[in-house]
Each structure stands twice: as structure tokens, then as C-alpha cells.
Amino acid sequence: MNEQSIKKLQIATREKVRKFNSLRGKEVQHGEFWDLVIVTAADESQRDAYELQITDKVNRNELPLGINYKVFSDPPGPKIGNGGSTLYALERLDNIYGKALGRFRVILIHAGGFSQRLPNASALGKIFTALPLSDPLYQMLELKLAMYVDFPSQMKPGILVTCADDIEIYSIAEDESIKFDKPGFTALAHPSPLSIGTTHGVFVLEPHEKSGSSEMEYISCLRFLHKPSITKMRNSGAVRKRHRGCVSLTDAEFVYTDSTYYVDYVTSMALLGLLKEIGPLECEIDAYGDFLQALGSKATVAYTNNTANVTKQESSLVEIRQKIFSCLRGTPLNVILLNNSKFYHVGTTTEYLHHLTEDPALRSELGLLSSAFSLYHNEALEGSTVCCVMYSIADPSCTVAPRSVVEYCRLEARVTVGRGSILSGCWVRPGLSVPDGVFMHSLCVNHQHKTGFVTVVFGIDDNLKQTVETPAYMEDLKLFGVSLVECLHHWGLGNEVLRFSADMSNCSLWNARLFPVCSDQQRSFSMSLEMAQAILDGSTLTLPKDTKLISMHDALQCKNLKEMLKFRKGLYDDIMQRKPSN
């Protein structure tokens, strides 16, 4: 990407942030902002967590006022995917607003799921992931709303569908605006290397000689490919040749990949009719792969039988896909090519660390800080690699190494945090040292009718989703690269002590009962740190008698939301009281 394109992105992005900041805490006028902001949740417990946090934000004037913020949870039962969440959200909106919905501009943010690849977002939600930007501090919710702040005024009634764990930034010419005013679906498209196309949706566009020659173009899509192979991209005509123009890539070849899309009101009602035909849902539907593949003049029913990219195949999926295809067949798929744009995914610990501490491009585009809404002093804030401290209080004698993120924490005197680590929601006693490459996250839980605390600890690169069939194969599960059998030995425990929560045929680090429940937050952190240190040092320790061990899965089931938010409120009050006035 050339310097001119980079500069345009910086200017455009910071202007969106400035515009959104001017709306925070202000009663917005009709047409100035969204009429409805909808966030989806996986279940009622997650919905409660989201509603509490949104209420707090509104009360602290961190969001625009005078509009409705709503959280819709998926119905109990099987997972239904973000496509199923979309359909049920439409049903809820229709039940609440009826025909009045036909006047509303709605943003629907998919935020369900338990974020197993970024566990610090599991309890309180990935849409509330902190970002080192602005004051009051941004979370992903604010950033999504800021990046789309220009859309509502250029949008006919309908719904914009987006996800909670990605960031899209773009620039367009000063005299242009992105308009969502066509019937059917209208999707944003970003120029991407072919390798990125294999893990995203790819648009096969109508032939267009000038494609890529200006910052924004409107074009029709012939068909949509979901996570295609490079061979399929080529055979389908999706691959474009780069030429001198605005395409923000150096690759000779590229494809246009998906991110966010708009559905006009009439089409959204067709989707609602589809739910009445196929509901209640008993399988996962993808809001991208299953909806968008049905669109475009060259869409065929063949994709409905392709389950290669499905995580859990249900017998009803193919039949439901065929009904989706029948419902949407012939619906236009309009595409807005954003030729000077970038798409960032922030859904894993590795991505999180990279984007917040190592990625100079995103830091410069958004104006990310090394210390945001925190009481923390670091002599070495400059450089290509930094640490990131957010919403935290650290004693002046503390040090946080580069490539590490600390959020919602209290660090007492002489605490040190090693490189490439994440600390979230922790209260760390004086003098403790956190090793390199460690993930630690403290949660408040209601355990055996008492309030307690648990701190989960993993290696940054540990695979929490890897499963084995039974506890007999636990040696195949690795914590800090060490088998669980060996970990138990370091903790003075026999194999028979380890239990797994939830489905015993699905044993993983996520549901392994490894972490002690303690009566106070500081002790919880210290014990889990000692356990991690024993593994890393090859030493042994003896856990106190009658120590109760639970899993990350258990902790989420019995989390005490109000106490966790109370801890954050205490940080907020202390920071506000002690931070220097402007």
C-alpha cells in the first residue's frame, strides 16, 4: 500500500472516530444515527451480561442517547449459527415493532458465542473487548458504531449485518458516500490476496474493465463463493488482475472478499417468512455462506450439498439450505468495492496481541495508544513493538514488557509482566512476576453457594478447542506444551483427580477442571500463577487440602456478573479520581 493510500485511511478513519465521539452522550436526531442497535447473544446469561454493560455505557454517556439498544439471545436448544440468530432477531423485531420496522435503520451485531480463542472476552462478551482508543475508552461496540457512523444517513430502511470481532477501515473520495439504497442485499467488498479468500467469502463480479481504478465502485455480483479453493476462484472468474489504480494491495492478483452487508426491509421480511417455514431451527446456519451463496444471477443450488466448511453437520442442514435457496433465488446481490480498505480480524489471542502491540498500520490508522484510560507509566512507549495497558491501575514500580496486553487489572508494587502475555481482570499481589507467553484471566464465580474467584491460566498458543474422546487420552491435551498427565504430576495430583465438565465425550482444556476456586481475587491469581510456574520450571507444588478445581466452562456457567462489573467500576472510579486533569 502506497503512502498516499495509507494517509487517506488514517484521515478517513480518524474523522469517523471524531464524528462518533461528537455523538457520545448526546441525544441524536432521527436520521443522524441508527434507529436500533441490536446485539445478539448465545443465551440468556450472556444477554444479561450484555444488557448490564450497555446500560452502564448509556449511564456514563459513552454511547449516543435517544435510541434503542437491544440484546436478543438465541433460543434454548441446539446452536443455530449467526444465520439463525439473524432470523430470530428479525422475528423479535417484527413482534416488537410490527410494520413500524419498515421505517427503521437497524444495525445487527452478531456477538454470540463463547470466544474460546480469545477467552478474556468469554465472560463479558467479545463486543465488549477493550481497545486502547479514546476517553472514555472504546470497546469493540464503540468502534463498530464509529466505523459505520456515516451509513445510517445514506441508508434506506433495512438491516446492516456485521460481526463483533472484526474491524473494517476504508477511505472514499470526499464527494462520495456509501449508499445502501438498492433492493435485495448490498455487501461491502475488500481487495484481498488469494490466500485470504480461502478463509472468507469471495465475490464473482460482473466483468468491469475499470474495476479497482477508484476508491469506491458499485457493481453487481454474479455469485458468491464461501471459503473457496484458489482453483475454484480462478475457474469461477473471481480472480482480478491488479493494475495502476486505487487497489490497496501489492499482489499481482487479488479477489474481493466479504465483511458486512445490508438487507433492505422487503427482503428482510422474506427472510422472516423463511423462518416461519423452517423453524424451529435445529442446525447452524451461516449468515454469510448460507444466505449469500443463494444470491446473484449465476447462483446454483449445488452449494447446498457442500458441507466441507461446516463444523457440525446436522441431517437437516441440506434441506434447510435448499429452502433458503428457494426463498432468496433471484434476489440481487449488489457489491460496493472499497478499493482503499482493510479488514482486520481480532478473534484470537495471537491476533489480539499482534494488532494491539505489533501492528504499526492499525495503530497509526486508528490512533491506538500504549496506555489508555490507565494509571500506568512506562518509559519506553515508543517503537515498533509496544505493550498495551487499558483500564488498569499499576504501581509506578511495575513493568510490562513489549507485546503484552494488560486490561482491567490492578498491579501492585514491583509486579513484572513478561513478553507476549495477556492479563485480564486480575488483581496482582506485590512482587509477582508473570512469565512470557502466558494468558491469565480472573473471574468471579458463585460456587457452592459462596462467592469465589478463579483465575484461568493457559499458554498463549494453547489450543483450548482441541478435544479427545475420553479422559483416558488426556495426555494428548497440552497446557504450555506439556501433557495434562505431566501437569498433574507437577501439582502433586494423580490422574484420577482430574475431571471434565459438560460432555465427557468431549474433553478439552476448555472443560478440564484445572483451576482452584479461592475466597479472594488476589489469592486466586497467585495460586494459578504458582501452578503455571511449576509447569514451566519443571518443579512441583502441593495444593492446599480440599482445593476445589473448576474449568473455564464451569466458570462461565456460574459467573458472578455483578461482582466482575463492580471490580471494573472500582477501577473506573479510581482512575477518574486520580488521573491528571486535561
Side-chain angles (χ1 to χ4, degrees):
M1 180 176 279
N2 61 45
E3 288 187 19
Q4 183 183 13
S5 296
I6 293 171
K7 190 65 177 175
K8 285 182 176 179
L9 279 181
Q10 289 179 1
I11 294 171
T13 303
R14 295 191 184 195
E15 173 57 23
K16 294 181 184 73
V17 169
R18 184 206 63 77
K19 184 174 179 180
F20 177 73
N21 286 347
S22 73
L23 299 176
R24 298 176 88 180
K26 172 190 169 187
E27 291 277 343
V28 294
Q29 304 301 310
H30 179 71
E32 189 178 17
F33 196 63
W34 303 98
D35 299 305
L36 290 168
V37 175
I38 309 298
V39 179
T40 67
D43 56 28
E44 291 186 5
S45 173
Q46 195 171 67
R47 182 196 67 199
D48 292 343
Y50 290 5
E51 288 179 341
L52 279 171
Q53 291 172 91
I54 289 174
T55 298
D56 284 348
K57 284 179 176 293
V58 170
N59 291 339
R60 292 196 299 260
N61 291 328
E62 294 175 5
L63 294 172
L65 308 179
I67 64 167
N68 282 317
Y69 297 91
K70 292 190 177 294
V71 183
F72 294 155
S73 60
D74 291 347
K79 290 183 179 181
I80 58 174
N82 54 16
S85 296
T86 301
L87 297 179
Y88 278 109
L90 288 171
E91 183 179 60
R92 293 288 303 279
L93 289 170
D94 185 61
N95 289 341
I96 296 169
Y97 297 104
K99 291 184 179 179
L101 187 62
R103 302 193 302 269
F104 293 163
R105 294 156 183 83
V106 183
I107 182 169
L108 175 64
I109 306 173
H110 286 297
F114 296 104
S115 195
Q116 288 176 273
R117 296 186 297 169
L118 188 63
N120 52 311
S122 297
L124 294 172
K126 52 192 172 184
I127 192 62
F128 300 101
T129 302
L131 295 167
L133 176 65
S134 197
D135 185 3
L137 190 76
Y138 269 36
Q139 294 176 322
M140 281 296 291
L141 176 60
E142 285 90 339
L143 187 62
K144 298 297 284 192
L145 296 176
M147 292 303 97
Y148 305 150
V149 70
D150 295 327
F151 290 177
S153 64
Q154 303 295 327
M155 176 176 157
K156 286 189 174 180
I159 296 179
L160 189 82
V161 179
T162 188
C163 292
D165 57 3
D166 57 53
I167 302 168
E168 304 98 359
I169 61 173
Y170 64 90
S171 72
I172 57 177
E174 287 186 17
D175 59 346
E176 291 184 320
S177 57
I178 294 177
K179 295 182 184 297
F180 297 99
D181 56 2
K182 293 182 170 63
F185 285 67
T186 301
L188 302 183
H190 311 270
S192 303
L194 272 59
S195 59
I196 295 295
T198 61
T199 57
H200 289 75
V202 173
F203 299 102
V204 181
L205 305 172
E206 286 186 344
H208 187 50
E209 287 298 320
K210 293 184 179 180
S211 181
S213 62
S214 62
E215 287 181 276
M216 180 183 70
E217 300 167 78
Y218 293 90
I219 194 168
S220 293
C221 183
L222 300 176
R223 62 183 297 209
F224 177 85
L225 310 175
H226 185 55
K227 299 181 180 179
S229 66
I230 291 177
T231 299
K232 186 167 185 178
M233 292 181 219
R234 294 190 187 282
N235 292 342
S236 302
V239 178
R240 324 288 281 190
K241 299 287 185 184
R242 184 179 179 273
H243 52 78
R244 295 185 67 180
C246 289
V247 171
S248 53
L249 292 173
T250 56
D251 303 59
E253 297 180 312
F254 68 96
V255 290
Y256 283 105
T257 56
D258 64 339
S259 64
T260 293
Y261 64 79
Y262 158 85
V263 188
D264 77 309
Y265 173 72
V266 172
T267 306
S268 70
M269 289 300 98
L271 287 173
L272 179 58
L274 172 69
L275 177 62
K276 292 175 179 176
E277 180 184 351
I278 64 177
L281 295 176
E282 295 182 354
C283 65
E284 293 189 54
I285 299 175
D286 189 336
Y288 293 85
D290 291 332
F291 291 167
L292 300 188
Q293 283 188 102
L295 308 175
S297 58
K298 291 196 174 181
T300 71
V301 75
Y303 80 90
T304 59
N305 290 294
N306 180 4
T307 56
N309 293 314
V310 177
T311 54
K312 185 177 181 181
Q313 189 170 339
E314 302 288 352
S315 57
S316 59
L317 178 60
V318 171
E319 180 184 354
I320 285 177
R321 279 182 169 178
Q322 289 170 349
K323 289 181 177 179
I324 293 171
F325 179 79
S326 177
C327 171
L328 294 178
R329 187 176 187 177
T331 302
L333 176 53
N334 312 291
V335 176
I336 302 173
L337 307 182
L338 297 176
N339 288 316
N340 192 33
S341 66
K342 286 186 177 180
F343 176 92
Y344 295 95
H345 188 256
V346 193
T348 70
T349 53
T350 302
E351 291 170 341
Y352 183 68
L353 287 173
H354 173 70
H355 290 316
L356 297 192
T357 68
E358 287 187 300
D359 186 352
L362 184 61
R363 288 217 314 275
S364 66
E365 288 152 6
L366 286 176
L368 299 183
L369 305 170
S370 294
S371 178
F373 195 67
S374 293
L375 300 177
Y376 174 68
H377 177 69
N378 185 0
E379 295 288 347
L381 289 182
E382 300 302 323
S384 58
T385 302
V386 297
C387 68
C388 177
V389 179
M390 300 176 285
Y391 215 119
S392 296
I393 299 173
D395 185 89
S397 60
C398 294
T399 59
V400 180
R403 286 203 67 245
S404 286
V405 174
V406 174
E407 60 164 13
Y408 304 109
C409 289
R410 289 185 185 270
L411 308 185
E412 304 285 4
R414 305 180 310 283
V415 168
T416 62
V417 180
R419 291 178 66 91
S421 293
I422 296 174
L423 266 61
S424 178
C426 303
W427 193 337
V428 187
R429 286 176 170 173
L432 293 182
S433 294
V434 178
D436 297 348
V438 171
F439 173 92
M440 300 190 72
H441 175 41
S442 298
L443 301 94
C444 183
V445 295
N446 297 317
H447 186 254
Q448 295 181 347
H449 309 293
K450 295 180 181 178
T451 298
F453 294 87
V454 62
T455 299
V456 296
V457 57
F458 303 104
I460 285 294
D461 297 320
D462 286 347
N463 183 355
L464 276 60
K465 299 181 80 170
Q466 179 191 350
T467 62
V468 295
E469 290 184 359
T470 69
Y473 298 107
M474 73 172 77
E475 64 184 18
D476 293 333
L477 298 175
K478 311 287 186 185
L479 183 64
F480 294 102
V482 176
S483 76
L484 282 192
V485 172
E486 193 173 338
C487 292
L488 292 173
H489 172 73
H490 288 301
W491 302 333
L493 302 174
N495 292 4
E496 72 283 354
V497 174
L498 180 61
R499 295 287 184 267
F500 292 85
S501 50
D503 184 357
M504 289 293 286
S505 66
N506 182 23
C507 301
S508 64
L509 289 183
W510 184 259
N511 63 10
R513 289 177 170 156
L514 302 173
F515 311 111
V517 179
C518 300
S519 59
D520 74 89
Q521 192 171 358
Q522 296 176 70
R523 177 62 180 147
S524 164
F525 183 90
S526 300
M527 280 190 69
S528 292
L529 180 60
E530 288 175 23
M531 294 170 73
Q533 203 69 62
I535 299 171
L536 295 169
D537 294 345
S539 58
T540 58
L541 63 83
T542 301
L543 293 175
K545 190 178 180 181
D546 298 327
T547 297
K548 303 296 183 184
L549 302 175
I550 68 173
S551 67
M552 182 65 183
H553 176 273
D554 293 331
L556 293 180
Q557 297 301 307
C558 61
K559 62 184 180 286
N560 185 324
L561 294 171
K562 291 187 177 178
E563 282 299 317
M564 293 175 71
L565 293 174
K566 182 180 175 182
F567 177 68
R568 290 190 180 186
K569 175 73 163 53
L571 289 169
Y572 178 89
D573 291 343
D574 286 355
I575 292 168
M576 290 296 290
Q577 183 177 356
R578 293 163 55 185
K579 75 175 183 176
S581 58
N582 293 333

